[in-house]
Protein backbone atom coordinates (compact mmCIF):
# COMPACT_ATOMS: atom_id res chain seq x y z
CA UNK A 1 0.00 0.00 0.00
CA UNK A 2 1.41 3.39 -0.91
CA UNK A 3 0.47 6.58 0.82
CA UNK A 4 -0.51 8.96 -1.93
CA UNK A 5 1.02 12.41 -1.97
CA UNK A 6 -1.32 15.03 -0.61
CA UNK A 7 -1.58 18.68 -1.59
CA UNK A 8 1.81 20.37 -1.65
CA UNK A 9 0.60 23.57 0.01
CA UNK A 10 -0.32 24.32 3.58
CA UNK A 11 -4.03 25.15 3.42
CA UNK A 12 -5.74 27.36 5.97
CA UNK A 13 -7.36 25.19 8.61
CA UNK A 14 -9.71 25.70 11.50
CA UNK A 15 -7.36 25.58 14.47
CA UNK A 16 -8.34 23.69 17.56
CA UNK A 17 -8.24 25.36 20.94
CA UNK A 18 -4.77 25.25 22.42
CA UNK A 19 -1.34 24.88 20.87
CA UNK A 20 -0.71 23.71 17.31
CA UNK A 21 0.05 20.03 16.79
CA UNK A 22 1.07 18.24 13.57
CA UNK A 23 -2.44 16.83 13.06
CA UNK A 24 -3.61 20.41 12.39
CA UNK A 25 -1.60 20.33 9.14
CA UNK A 26 -3.45 18.70 6.21
CA UNK A 27 -0.22 17.57 4.50
CA UNK A 28 0.85 15.46 7.49
CA UNK A 29 1.92 11.96 6.40
CA UNK A 30 3.35 10.57 9.65
CA UNK A 31 3.98 11.79 13.19
CA UNK A 32 5.86 9.82 15.80
CA UNK A 33 5.34 11.89 18.93
CA UNK A 34 7.75 11.81 21.84
CA UNK A 35 6.74 9.13 24.33
CA UNK A 36 3.33 8.52 22.76
CA UNK A 37 2.28 4.91 22.04
CA UNK A 38 5.80 3.55 22.23
CA UNK A 39 5.64 -0.19 22.92
CA UNK A 40 8.65 -1.59 24.74
CA UNK A 41 9.43 -4.87 26.48
CA UNK A 42 9.71 -3.35 29.94
CA UNK A 43 12.46 -4.20 32.36
CA UNK A 44 15.26 -5.05 31.93
CA UNK A 45 15.89 -4.16 28.26
CA UNK A 46 13.02 -1.77 27.34
CA UNK A 47 13.45 -2.84 23.69
CA UNK A 48 10.97 -1.04 21.42
CA UNK A 49 8.90 -3.12 19.01
CA UNK A 50 6.44 -0.44 17.84
CA UNK A 51 6.07 3.35 17.71
CA UNK A 52 2.61 4.32 16.53
CA UNK A 53 1.94 7.02 13.97
CA UNK A 54 -0.31 9.76 15.39
CA UNK A 55 -1.53 10.88 11.96
CA UNK A 56 -4.71 9.48 10.42
CA UNK A 57 -2.59 7.27 8.13
CA UNK A 58 -1.70 4.71 10.83
CA UNK A 59 1.71 4.21 9.21
CA UNK A 60 3.46 2.83 12.27
CA UNK A 61 7.14 2.09 12.90
CA UNK A 62 7.68 -1.61 13.62
CA UNK A 63 10.56 -3.93 14.50
CA UNK A 64 9.79 -7.56 15.26
CA UNK A 65 13.43 -8.68 15.41
CA UNK A 66 14.48 -8.26 19.04
CA UNK A 67 18.16 -7.85 18.16
CA UNK A 68 17.31 -4.88 15.90
CA UNK A 69 15.08 -3.00 18.35
CA UNK A 70 16.18 0.35 19.77
CA UNK A 71 15.91 0.93 23.52
CA UNK A 72 13.44 3.22 25.24
CA UNK A 73 14.69 5.49 27.99
CA UNK A 74 13.36 5.38 31.52
CA UNK A 75 12.46 8.03 34.08
CA UNK A 76 13.09 11.52 32.72
CA UNK A 77 14.50 9.95 29.52
CA UNK A 78 11.34 7.95 28.74
CA UNK A 79 10.40 8.49 25.09
CA UNK A 80 14.01 9.03 24.03
CA UNK A 81 14.94 6.02 21.89
CA UNK A 82 18.57 4.93 21.59
CA UNK A 83 19.88 3.20 18.45
CA UNK A 84 23.11 1.27 19.02
CA UNK A 85 24.66 1.70 15.55
CA UNK A 86 24.88 -2.05 15.04
CA UNK A 87 21.59 -2.89 13.33
CA UNK A 88 18.74 -1.11 15.15
CA UNK A 89 16.03 0.18 12.81
CA UNK A 90 12.28 0.50 12.22
CA UNK A 91 10.22 -0.45 9.18
CA UNK A 92 7.22 1.67 8.23
CA UNK A 93 3.90 -0.16 7.94
CA UNK A 94 3.43 1.33 4.44
CA UNK A 95 5.62 2.92 1.82
CA UNK A 96 5.74 6.73 1.83
CA UNK A 97 6.16 8.33 -1.59
CA UNK A 98 6.60 12.11 -2.00
CA UNK A 99 6.94 13.51 -5.51
CA UNK A 100 7.10 17.21 -4.67
CA UNK A 101 7.40 19.37 -1.59
CA UNK A 102 8.25 17.89 1.80
CA UNK A 103 9.00 18.84 5.37
CA UNK A 104 10.80 16.58 7.84
CA UNK A 105 11.17 17.35 11.53
CA UNK A 106 13.41 15.48 13.99
CA UNK A 107 14.31 15.78 17.67
CA UNK A 108 17.49 13.76 18.04
CA UNK A 109 21.09 13.52 19.11
CA UNK A 110 23.34 12.16 16.37
CA UNK A 111 26.14 9.92 17.59
CA UNK A 112 28.43 8.32 15.03
CA UNK A 113 28.32 10.00 11.61
CA UNK A 114 27.97 8.26 8.25
CA UNK A 115 24.67 6.79 9.43
CA UNK A 116 21.12 6.67 8.06
CA UNK A 117 17.96 8.49 9.11
CA UNK A 118 15.09 8.08 6.64
CA UNK A 119 15.58 5.71 3.70
CA UNK A 120 14.21 3.03 1.43
CA UNK A 121 15.55 -0.34 2.53
CA UNK A 122 13.74 -2.21 -0.25
CA UNK A 123 15.96 -4.33 -2.46
CA UNK A 124 14.39 -2.89 -5.65
CA UNK A 125 14.11 0.83 -4.91
CA UNK A 126 17.22 1.41 -2.85
CA UNK A 127 18.41 4.76 -4.24
CA UNK A 128 16.60 6.82 -1.59
CA UNK A 129 18.13 7.94 1.69
CA UNK A 130 19.24 10.76 3.92
CA UNK A 131 22.26 10.24 6.14
CA UNK A 132 25.03 12.12 7.88
CA UNK A 133 28.39 12.17 6.12
CA UNK A 134 30.47 13.94 8.76
CA UNK A 135 29.92 16.19 11.79
CA UNK A 136 28.42 18.98 9.66
CA UNK A 137 26.86 17.42 6.55
CA UNK A 138 23.55 15.70 5.76
CA UNK A 139 23.45 13.96 2.38
CA UNK A 140 20.25 13.28 0.43
CA UNK A 141 20.02 10.69 -2.34
CA UNK A 142 16.85 10.76 -4.42
CA UNK A 143 16.51 8.70 -7.59
CA UNK A 144 20.24 7.99 -7.55
CA UNK A 145 21.21 11.70 -7.43
CA UNK A 146 23.06 13.11 -4.41
CA UNK A 147 23.25 16.54 -2.78
CA UNK A 148 24.91 17.71 0.46
CA UNK A 149 23.51 20.16 3.01
CA UNK A 150 26.27 21.58 5.20
CA UNK A 151 25.72 23.32 8.51
CA UNK A 152 27.07 26.84 8.72
CA UNK A 153 30.53 26.95 10.33
CA UNK A 154 31.33 26.41 13.15
CA UNK A 155 28.12 24.45 13.86
CA UNK A 156 28.19 20.65 14.29
CA UNK A 157 25.62 18.00 15.18
CA UNK A 158 24.60 17.93 18.83
CA UNK A 159 21.43 17.58 20.87
CA UNK A 160 19.39 19.07 18.04
CA UNK A 161 16.03 19.63 16.53
CA UNK A 162 16.33 19.61 12.75
CA UNK A 163 13.85 20.63 10.07
CA UNK A 164 14.42 19.87 6.38
CA UNK A 165 12.17 21.20 3.62
CA UNK A 166 11.90 20.95 -0.15
CA UNK A 167 9.89 23.64 -1.92
CA UNK A 168 8.05 23.57 -5.24
CA UNK A 169 11.25 24.39 -7.15
CA UNK A 170 13.13 21.48 -5.56
CA UNK A 171 15.16 23.70 -3.23
CA UNK A 172 16.15 21.86 -0.03
CA UNK A 173 16.75 23.86 3.17
CA UNK A 174 17.78 23.02 6.73
CA UNK A 175 16.98 24.58 10.08
CA UNK A 176 19.18 23.53 13.01
CA UNK A 177 17.62 24.43 16.35
CA UNK A 178 15.39 26.97 14.63
CA UNK A 179 18.18 28.67 12.65
CA UNK A 180 18.06 28.56 8.85
CA UNK A 181 21.34 27.34 7.37
CA UNK A 182 22.89 28.88 4.26
CA UNK A 183 23.17 25.80 2.04
CA UNK A 184 20.17 25.33 -0.28
CA UNK A 185 20.90 22.74 -3.00
CA UNK A 186 18.25 21.68 -5.49
CA UNK A 187 17.18 18.05 -5.91
CA UNK A 188 14.03 16.88 -7.68
CA UNK A 189 12.58 13.38 -7.87
CA UNK A 190 10.22 11.17 -5.91
CA UNK A 191 11.30 10.35 -2.37
CA UNK A 192 10.65 6.77 -1.26
CA UNK A 193 10.68 6.00 2.47
CA UNK A 194 10.05 2.68 4.18
CA UNK A 195 12.57 2.68 7.03
CA UNK A 196 14.14 4.73 9.78
CA UNK A 197 17.67 3.72 10.71
CA UNK A 198 19.11 1.77 7.75
CA UNK A 199 19.33 2.00 3.98
CA UNK A 200 19.44 -0.69 1.29
CA UNK A 201 20.08 -3.34 2.40
CA UNK A 202 20.55 -2.92 6.16
CA UNK A 203 23.53 -0.57 5.65
CA UNK A 204 24.81 2.40 7.68
CA UNK A 205 22.64 1.81 10.78
CA UNK A 206 21.79 4.91 12.79
CA UNK A 207 23.66 5.52 16.04
CA UNK A 208 22.23 8.07 18.44
CA UNK A 209 18.88 8.99 19.90
CA UNK A 210 15.53 10.01 18.43
CA UNK A 211 12.49 11.27 20.31
CA UNK A 212 10.22 12.69 17.57
CA UNK A 213 9.76 12.38 13.80
CA UNK A 214 7.36 14.40 11.62
CA UNK A 215 6.88 13.91 7.85
CA UNK A 216 4.76 16.13 5.57
CA UNK A 217 4.10 16.21 1.82
CA UNK A 218 4.16 20.00 1.80
CA UNK A 219 6.30 22.96 2.76
CA UNK A 220 5.60 26.54 3.78
CA UNK A 221 6.83 29.18 6.20
CA UNK A 222 3.88 28.32 8.43
CA UNK A 223 4.66 24.61 8.58
CA UNK A 224 8.34 25.30 9.24
CA UNK A 225 7.58 27.73 12.05
CA UNK A 226 5.09 25.37 13.67
CA UNK A 227 7.37 22.33 13.43
CA UNK A 228 10.32 24.25 14.85
CA UNK A 229 8.21 25.54 17.73
CA UNK A 230 6.87 22.07 18.52
CA UNK A 231 10.33 20.46 18.47
CA UNK A 232 11.84 23.27 20.54
CA UNK A 233 9.30 22.54 23.29
CA UNK A 234 10.32 18.88 23.70
Amino acid sequence: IMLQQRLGLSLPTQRKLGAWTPVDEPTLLAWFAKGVEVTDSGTPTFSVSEWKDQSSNANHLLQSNVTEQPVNGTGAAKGILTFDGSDDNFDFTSQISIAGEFTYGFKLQIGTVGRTLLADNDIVTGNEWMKTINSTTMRFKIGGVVVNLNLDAPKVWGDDYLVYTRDGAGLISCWQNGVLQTATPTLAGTVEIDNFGVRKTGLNPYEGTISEIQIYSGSSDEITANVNARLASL
Side-chain angles (χ1 to χ4, degrees):
I1 300 172
M2 180 177 293
L3 292 177
Q4 297 299 316
Q5 181 187 4
R6 299 181 180 181
L7 294 175
L9 300 175
S10 176
L11 301 178
T13 58
Q14 183 68 39
R15 288 293 167 83
K16 301 170 185 175
L17 294 176
W20 177 91
T21 69
V23 294
D24 295 322
E25 171 52 49
T27 66
L28 178 66
L29 293 180
W31 174 29
F32 306 98
K34 181 182 179 182
V36 178
E37 293 195 275
V38 177
T39 301
D40 66 44
S41 62
T43 187
T45 62
F46 296 95
S47 299
V48 178
S49 58
E50 182 177 23
W51 191 3
K52 286 192 174 180
D53 176 17
Q54 300 303 301
S55 82
S56 61
N57 296 308
N59 192 12
H60 310 310
L61 291 175
L62 304 171
Q63 182 51 261
S64 59
N65 188 335
V66 174
T67 65
E68 297 182 6
Q69 292 173 351
V71 175
N72 196 5
T74 60
K78 189 173 180 62
I80 300 175
L81 278 55
T82 298
F83 289 68
D84 65 10
S86 174
D87 54 8
D88 294 352
N89 71 96
F90 282 125
D91 291 317
F92 284 80
T93 305
S94 302
Q95 187 87 8
I96 291 177
S97 182
I98 309 173
E101 300 177 23
F102 63 66
T103 300
Y104 304 151
F106 306 95
K107 180 68 175 75
L108 78 179
Q109 184 161 11
I110 293 168
T112 303
V113 297
R115 305 304 180 93
T116 307
L117 278 75
L118 297 175
D120 192 315
N121 193 36
D122 183 87
I123 197 167
V124 177
T125 56
N127 281 327
E128 313 291 329
W129 43 258
M130 63 178 296
K131 68 177 186 177
T132 56
I133 299 301
N134 52 44
S135 62
T136 63
T137 306
M138 188 73 72
R139 178 171 291 174
F140 284 77
K141 189 174 186 182
I142 301 174
V145 181
V146 170
V147 296
N148 291 335
L149 274 80
N150 300 315
L151 299 179
D152 294 341
K155 296 176 180 177
V156 296
W157 307 123
D159 185 5
D160 293 324
Y161 58 95
L162 301 173
V163 177
Y164 288 90
T165 67
R166 182 170 71 176
D167 67 15
L171 198 72
I172 301 179
S173 302
C174 169
W175 283 257
Q176 183 194 37
N177 300 325
V179 179
L180 177 62
Q181 305 299 290
T182 302
T184 53
T186 298
L187 183 58
T190 299
V191 179
E192 301 289 351
I193 301 168
D194 65 15
N195 187 276
F196 178 89
V198 295
R199 68 180 183 90
K200 177 190 175 183
T201 303
L203 299 177
N204 306 132
Y206 180 65
E207 182 172 5
T209 69
I210 187 81
S211 53
E212 179 142 321
I213 306 169
Q214 302 175 29
I215 303 173
Y216 304 81
S217 63
S219 69
S220 71
D221 291 343
E222 182 183 9
I223 297 174
T224 299
N226 283 329
V227 173
N228 271 313
R230 158 76 188 180
L231 295 175
S233 73
L234 299 179

